[in-house]
């Protein structure tokens, strides 16, 4: 691949993904070290010069989220102090995004604070994927390119879905994403109306749309505890959906207990991407779609100073 020179670094959140991006670009991942001092403080060292170079740092804000965020901030700071030309963070999963407004008085807006931190350390450009809400971009006073995994997930699944499948948004916030899935799959959309019972509990109060005797594809931006999807499965089956359910989400955070919540006999398959390093090896229904080709294509275009608009199609 004949590209101008650039450096590709990896945080420790998902080195396999960075390796796959490097492989697709025919570039090696530049060496670096991430170490802990005995008191737990972090240190990052770039093991080759970056002076004047375009630098891409791949790091998801996956668990441990705060540790991975801080690591990325240190990478950016190290690049700036080593006189890098341009520093782009490739953050496939942008953690802390759910805190995009104050839910109660005397709370922070963490997504906004994270944006300020990136700016403070001198980040030039952020590339991410399926942001929790698009308006988070407004917290950043630097270019943000939010790619989407929807085409990759649809390509993976389209031949295995039964005719008549309904794409289901598990809440009002995912209706647009459900529309994008449905448009690509030639399917209809149903929406679940969710009501918050407490800080951690929600319940579905209504299924909007026709799901009776239909297979369903439940989509979401992320699966964390699996609670949202488990509630959706229950509500759909209660509304008469066929016990043939597929789940697709961009980010498989998949904390402890999520597998048990999603292991329902009606669930045929759970699809996520590798924005977060997969940790569940023995889960037969889980399929991980790699997002490396998409991120590699984005880097290739950014390095060549080309538009990335067609990556959204
Ligand atoms: C909520 O607004 C999000 O889009 C996801 O539905 C939610 O974060 C998933 O989390 P969990 O799997 O813990 O229900």
């Amino acid at each position: 691949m004949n590209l101008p020179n650039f450096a590709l670094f990896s945080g420790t959140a998902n080195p396999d993904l960075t390796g796959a991006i490097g492989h697709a670009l025919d570039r090696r991942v530049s060496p670096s070290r991430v170490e802990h001092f005995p008191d737990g403080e972090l240190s990052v060292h770039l093991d080759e010069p970056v002076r004047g170079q375009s630098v891409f740092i791949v790091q998801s804000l996956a668990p441990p989220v705060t540790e991975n965020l801080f690591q990325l901030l240190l990478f950016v700071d190290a690049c700036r102090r080593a006189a890098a030309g341009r520093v782009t963070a490739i953050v496939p999963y942008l953690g802390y995004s759910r805190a995009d407004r104050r839910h109660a008085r005397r709370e922070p807006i963490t997504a906004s604070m994270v944006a300020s931190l990136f700016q403070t350390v001198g980040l030039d450009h952020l590339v991410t994927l399926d942001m929790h809400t698009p308006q988070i971009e407004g917290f950043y006073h630097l270019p943000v390119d939010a790619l989407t995994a929807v085409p990759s997930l649809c390509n993976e699944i389209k031949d295995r879905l039964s005719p008549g499948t309904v794409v289901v948004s598990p809440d009002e916030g995912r209706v647009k994403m459900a529309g994008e899935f449905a448009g690509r799959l030639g399917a209809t959309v149903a929406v679940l109306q969710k009501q918050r019972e407490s800080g951690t509990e929600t319940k579905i109060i209504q299924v909007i749309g026709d799901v009776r005797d239909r297979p369903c594809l439940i989509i979401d931006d992320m699966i964390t505890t699996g609670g949202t999807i488990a509630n959706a499965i229950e509500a759909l089956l209660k509304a008469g959906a066929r016990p043939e359910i597929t789940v697709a989400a961009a980010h498989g955070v998949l904390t402890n207990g999520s597998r048990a919540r999603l292991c329902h006999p009606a669930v045929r398959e759970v699809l996520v991407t590798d924005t977060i390093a997969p940790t569940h090896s023995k889960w037969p229904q889980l399929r991980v779609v790699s997002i490396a080709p998409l991120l590699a294509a984005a880097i290739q275009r950014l390095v060549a100073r080309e538009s990335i608009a067609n990556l959204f199609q």
Side-chain angles (χ1 to χ4, degrees):
M1 207 173 284
N2 199 9
L3 285 175
N5 201 20
F6 67 94
L8 177 66
F9 283 95
S10 184
T12 61
N14 194 349
D16 287 349
L17 176 63
T18 316
I21 294 170
H23 184 73
L25 290 167
D26 203 13
R27 290 292 161 116
R28 74 184 171 91
V29 178
S30 298
S32 63
R33 277 170 287 144
V34 176
E35 288 163 351
H36 284 96
F37 290 108
D39 60 0
E41 286 184 1
L42 258 178
S43 106
V44 163
H45 192 270
L46 311 180
D47 284 334
E48 62 183 30
V50 292
R51 187 172 298 275
Q53 277 198 315
S54 254
V55 178
F56 294 84
I57 308 156
V58 184
Q59 173 80 325
S60 264
L61 303 191
V65 184
T66 311
E67 169 96 8
N68 285 334
L69 166 64
F70 204 77
Q71 209 186 89
L72 177 56
L73 293 167
L74 293 179
F75 264 99
V76 178
D77 192 66
C79 289
R80 278 273 82 99
R81 291 177 195 280
R86 187 169 176 79
V87 184
T88 301
I90 307 282
V91 186
Y93 169 65
L94 189 63
Y96 279 126
S97 289
R98 280 175 292 190
D100 59 355
R101 62 183 185 281
R102 291 204 302 161
H103 297 276
R105 291 183 172 278
R106 300 185 295 279
E107 283 189 356
I109 303 179
T110 317
S112 162
M113 190 203 72
V114 168
S116 304
L117 290 172
F118 281 135
Q119 270 144 227
T120 301
V121 291
L123 185 68
D124 292 305
H125 191 165
L126 173 70
V127 176
T128 185
L129 196 107
D130 289 304
M131 272 182 166
H132 182 59
T133 48
Q135 56 269 31
I136 288 172
E137 181 179 352
F139 292 143
Y140 288 80
H141 300 287
L142 51 89
V144 175
D145 284 304
L147 303 169
T148 175
V150 172
S152 313
L153 290 167
C154 285
N155 284 344
E156 178 64 32
I157 206 163
K158 62 178 192 291
D159 296 332
R160 291 197 298 281
L161 290 177
S162 301
T165 296
V166 182
V167 178
V168 179
S169 170
D171 54 34
E172 293 87 339
R174 239 27 72 190
V175 174
K176 185 166 181 281
M177 191 184 206
E180 283 158 12
F181 270 92
R184 287 175 179 274
L185 298 168
T188 55
V189 172
V191 182
L192 306 186
Q193 193 183 352
K194 190 165 93 174
Q195 184 173 284
R196 186 156 288 285
E197 299 283 278
S198 68
T200 51
E201 293 288 309
T202 58
K203 87 168 183 204
I204 307 292
I205 53 171
Q206 198 187 167
V207 177
I208 305 166
D210 183 15
V211 297
R212 188 157 292 280
D213 200 30
R214 308 270 293 272
C216 294
L217 168 65
I218 309 172
I219 59 90
D220 211 342
D221 59 331
M222 66 178 97
I223 305 173
T224 306
T225 64
T228 301
I229 300 293
N231 285 347
I233 294 167
E234 203 184 303
L236 289 170
L237 295 176
K238 220 160 133 190
R242 197 185 298 172
E244 186 187 323
I245 291 177
T246 306
V247 178
H251 310 295
V253 188
L254 301 175
T255 56
N256 279 344
S258 57
R259 179 181 170 178
R261 284 188 195 92
L262 300 183
C263 274
H264 189 287
V267 174
R268 288 191 157 187
E269 208 173 337
V270 177
L271 250 90
V272 293
T273 74
D274 56 356
T275 57
I276 294 168
T279 50
H280 296 263
S281 53
K282 293 187 186 114
W283 183 349
Q285 285 84 9
L286 184 70
R287 188 180 288 255
V288 181
V289 179
S290 183
I291 218 67
L294 175 66
L295 294 175
I299 292 175
Q300 187 187 335
R301 283 168 177 71
L302 293 174
V303 170
R305 300 193 181 176
E306 289 171 1
S307 166
I308 62 165
N310 67 350
L311 296 180
F312 295 88
Q313 286 154 17

